[in-house]
Amino acid sequence: MKIHTGWFPGVVGDIAALHARHYAASHGFGAVFEAKVARELGAFLTKPKTPGDFFRGVERDGRALGSVAVEDEGDGLGHLRWFILDASLRGGGLGRRLLGEALDHARARSFTRIYLWTLDGLPAAARLYAEAGFMEVERLTATQWGKAVTELRLEWS
């Protein structure tokens, strides 16, 4: 297994596919969601980086099996994005390690806040975020990608 700090062949498609499969199963999302993940991750990985931007991609056997990113939004604010692991990598501490590296990066760059959007009904993710110090600051029920969902905004400071 290799941890990359930037783009590598297949990472955009593989991470979009991981998100698509996971959220299709958990929340019924479809092609619009997968395309959004691919478009936004691709844009992030090809834009000029700021010192606050952070990316880790997990590769095994030529496939991307996980990622986490922090997008620097300026004024000490970061957006945690694309945090996902293939089911074969869950439960062994890798997710906790990746999230820890992202937050260590944020501390080193003097971010004052990190936020993320997640969905209700993901208990393992909720537990990991709570252990890392994220707190729920907003809850919205809306139609996203053709489905009624409850979105949670979590913040770390």
Side-chain angles (χ1 to χ4, degrees):
M1 184 168 52
K2 181 174 182 181
I3 307 292
H4 294 266
T5 61
W7 177 88
F8 59 96
V11 69
V12 174
D14 288 345
I15 296 304
L18 277 174
H19 276 82
R21 285 190 293 274
H22 181 77
Y23 289 100
S26 69
H27 290 81
F29 292 170
V32 173
F33 176 74
E34 183 175 1
K36 175 184 174 19
V37 172
R39 182 176 55 254
E40 293 178 3
L41 178 58
F44 175 77
L45 289 173
T46 58
K47 74 174 185 152
K49 298 293 173 262
T50 70
D53 287 339
F54 173 91
F55 179 79
R56 293 293 180 270
V58 180
E59 179 187 14
R60 185 175 68 195
D61 300 327
R63 295 191 49 98
L65 297 178
S67 66
V68 66
V70 175
E71 190 165 16
D72 185 348
E73 294 191 351
D75 296 325
L77 180 63
H79 186 180
L80 187 82
R81 305 188 73 185
W82 308 296
F83 184 34
I84 194 163
L85 285 178
D86 184 80
S88 69
L89 297 179
R90 293 184 194 144
L94 181 58
R96 188 170 280 105
R97 173 184 158 195
L98 292 173
L99 182 58
E101 287 181 18
L103 295 177
D104 287 347
H105 171 86
R107 285 183 198 95
R109 300 300 182 284
S110 300
F111 279 80
T112 55
R113 288 183 308 142
I114 302 286
Y115 76 96
L116 64 94
W117 285 98
T118 189
L119 297 170
D120 202 19
L122 301 171
R127 191 170 41 257
L128 189 60
Y129 293 136
E131 289 171 5
F134 282 86
M135 304 287 292
E136 183 180 324
V137 296
E138 188 174 357
R139 180 178 287 254
L140 303 170
T141 299
T143 300
Q144 289 286 354
W145 310 289
K147 302 291 178 181
V149 296
T150 300
E151 294 181 287
L152 309 173
R153 180 180 167 120
L154 306 180
E155 288 190 8
W156 170 90
S157 56

